[in-house]
Amino acid sequence: MSMHPTVTGTTPARGVRKTSIRLADGRELIYFDDREPFLSGTATRSEIDTRSLPVMHTRSDVRYDVLTGEWVVLAAHRMNRTYQPPSEENPLAPTRPGRPPTEIPAPDYDVVVFENRFPSFSQPPAGTVDDTTADPAESFVDGEPLWPRRRTGGRCEVVCFTSDPAASFAELSQRRARTVIEAWADRTRSLSAMPSTRQVVCFENRGEEIGVTLSHPHGQIYAYPYLPPRTQSLIRQSRLHREKTGRLLLADVLDAERRAGSRMVLTGEHWSGYVPAAARWPLEVHLAPHRDVADLAALDDAEADELATVYLELLRRVDRFFPGVHRTPYIAAWHQAPVGADRDLGRLHLQLFSLMRSPGRMKFLAGSESALGAWINDSTPEDIARRLRDVAS
């Protein structure tokens, strides 16, 4: 199945044109163009996905862990997903003459978002009704009430930051970083409107040490149909803090870090970066807006513009953190407020961390962390912050 592209919306004030198409198997792909001739509409996205792909059918199983109170997603169809293919078979590269067609049918692109071909969450085939609002305890594993199970719902998307497979986010121009932010905000807005969504999280895994399966610079966006464990903990703590003080926990944390100063990394007019006082990782930094903002879609133009500058500076410092390491492996996750209940207890913030503890040495989550969830950091937050200040541009 191939469908001609249709322009679904433009945002000329923010310098991005959005065009949505359908891939051969019915998945949605969205171009976010910030260059001519597509930006002004002089040219349109006319490429067709010529691959012969079966319509996507996935059905994940989510089961309740009665011992922890957490949901666990089982997505067996991901077992054989693409893993570190040769450069000529890069599925995130543009489709160019003489090479196999990829996930992006255009010969070049600025920023692209598309539905993951191997999603963690169940999705109905294109054109069918989404039934993810059904009773969440519709069945039990082996008929035992101790183990509720349900269809996941939700949605998983891939974000390609650039068509250059050798680049990294830190090497993007400020203009391109701003386009990525616009794409994040657009998808946050759209995915938050899905009935099954409880939280939208944008994240990037970078580096083979992290377990990245594709080296092309890209990230992902998950529309979770439940609140992940970290969010549940944050909301619980935020509720207790509000009952005690009447204030928002994450806002008070930012204010306290700014007053202390010892763990501050950078400060702008609208954003501040700091190493949290109880950092878990040998390299960890948080970035938060000064204003109480629920998610990326709620940023105003000034905040989004400064974010493009501040985030690039932060990533470049992370790449200079370890002497002799060209590109530091990291995980960067944008935590956004829940959708629906408890939204007022959440607040937008970035959590960026690395499993690297020194050049060539990784922190492995062994017995204490993996089995007990008891974290032991090999550094101190103050030392991490000092190093991130020392390597400022």
Side-chain angles (χ1 to χ4, degrees):
M1 178 176 65
S2 296
M3 298 178 63
H4 289 280
T6 55
V7 176
T8 58
T10 61
T11 51
R14 294 191 172 187
V16 177
R17 179 175 289 272
K18 174 185 170 185
T19 308
S20 175
I21 70 168
R22 289 287 173 180
L23 297 175
D25 56 3
R27 288 175 295 133
E28 184 179 22
L29 179 145
I30 306 169
Y31 294 100
F32 291 87
D33 287 305
D34 59 23
R35 295 179 298 174
E36 297 297 354
F38 301 106
L39 178 58
S40 65
T42 302
T44 58
R45 291 291 182 181
S46 58
E47 299 87 7
I48 299 296
D49 184 2
T50 60
R51 296 173 297 174
S52 177
L53 297 176
V55 174
M56 180 181 65
H57 291 279
T58 62
R59 190 169 182 84
S60 301
D61 188 24
V62 60
R63 302 184 181 186
Y64 184 72
D65 184 347
V66 67
L67 301 181
T68 64
E70 299 170 2
W71 290 96
V72 178
V73 176
L74 309 178
H77 58 272
R78 287 171 51 82
M79 180 65 73
N80 296 317
R81 65 188 185 276
T82 306
Y83 181 79
Q84 295 294 346
S87 58
E88 64 272 14
E89 297 178 14
N90 174 13
L92 306 185
T95 293
R96 290 176 176 163
R99 296 211 170 181
T102 72
E103 291 280 66
I104 299 104
D108 197 14
Y109 61 84
D110 296 336
V111 174
V112 164
V113 177
F114 61 89
E115 291 183 74
N116 198 322
R117 191 176 178 186
F118 303 97
S120 298
F121 304 139
S122 298
Q123 300 170 75
T128 64
V129 177
D130 186 345
D131 64 355
T132 57
T133 57
D135 180 0
E138 62 185 14
S139 62
F140 302 95
V141 177
D142 298 330
E144 290 286 349
L146 272 177
W147 305 314
R149 70 192 301 179
R150 64 185 186 188
R151 180 180 175 181
T152 56
R155 177 154 152 156
C156 300
E157 298 183 339
V158 176
V159 188
C160 295
F161 305 138
T162 171
S163 61
D164 182 359
S168 71
F169 199 121
E171 296 165 351
L172 298 180
S173 67
Q174 183 179 344
R175 173 71 180 276
R176 182 54 48 78
R178 182 65 179 81
T179 302
V180 174
I181 293 167
E182 185 63 22
W184 283 339
D186 176 273
R187 301 315 302 148
T188 294
R189 190 178 301 111
S190 296
L191 296 176
S192 294
M194 292 173 51
S196 63
T197 300
R198 287 290 283 122
Q199 185 180 26
V200 178
V201 178
C202 307
F203 63 92
E204 178 192 3
N205 303 321
R206 190 182 79 168
E208 290 188 34
E209 299 92 337
I210 299 296
V212 171
T213 58
L214 297 172
S215 59
H216 191 108
H218 73 287
Q220 299 182 64
I221 304 175
Y222 274 23
Y224 286 91
Y226 56 87
L227 291 186
R230 183 178 177 88
T231 305
Q232 291 186 39
S233 297
L234 188 153
I235 294 302
R236 181 182 63 250
Q237 294 300 106
S238 187
R239 183 180 296 109
L240 292 172
H241 186 78
R242 174 164 290 178
E243 291 171 355
K244 182 179 179 180
T245 68
R247 297 190 300 272
L248 181 59
L249 177 59
L250 283 166
D252 279 2
V253 166
L254 175 59
D255 291 344
E257 290 289 0
R258 296 180 73 183
R259 284 195 303 270
S262 59
R263 290 171 298 278
M264 292 301 298
V265 173
L266 53 80
T267 299
E269 181 181 355
H270 304 288
W271 295 85
S272 284
Y274 62 90
V275 178
R280 300 183 175 204
W281 301 94
L283 166 54
E284 181 173 0
V285 60
H286 292 191
L287 183 63
H290 297 166
R291 184 170 65 95
D292 290 344
V293 176
D295 56 26
L296 290 158
L299 296 175
D300 62 30
D301 285 347
E303 291 164 335
D305 290 344
E306 183 179 271
L307 176 57
T309 301
V310 170
Y311 190 40
L312 286 174
E313 168 63 15
L314 184 61
L315 291 179
R316 289 162 185 170
R317 293 191 196 187
V318 167
D319 274 348
R320 293 191 289 266
F321 190 88
F322 296 107
V325 176
H326 175 52
R327 289 179 177 171
T328 300
Y330 65 74
I331 295 172
W334 285 99
H335 297 268
Q336 309 195 82
V339 177
D342 298 323
R343 186 168 177 80
D344 60 324
L345 296 174
R347 194 179 193 272
L348 173 69
H349 64 287
L350 169 77
Q351 178 194 23
L352 187 152
F353 60 94
S354 177
L355 281 66
M356 182 170 282
R357 57 186 176 88
S358 63
R361 297 180 179 178
M362 305 298 291
K363 176 178 178 61
F364 294 102
L365 304 187
S368 187
E369 290 89 356
S370 293
L372 283 306
W375 228 259
I376 301 170
N377 197 342
D378 301 318
S379 183
T380 69
E382 292 74 21
D383 285 345
I384 298 170
R386 188 178 302 111
R387 175 61 180 167
L388 285 170
R389 291 193 296 267
D390 288 345
V391 295
S393 296

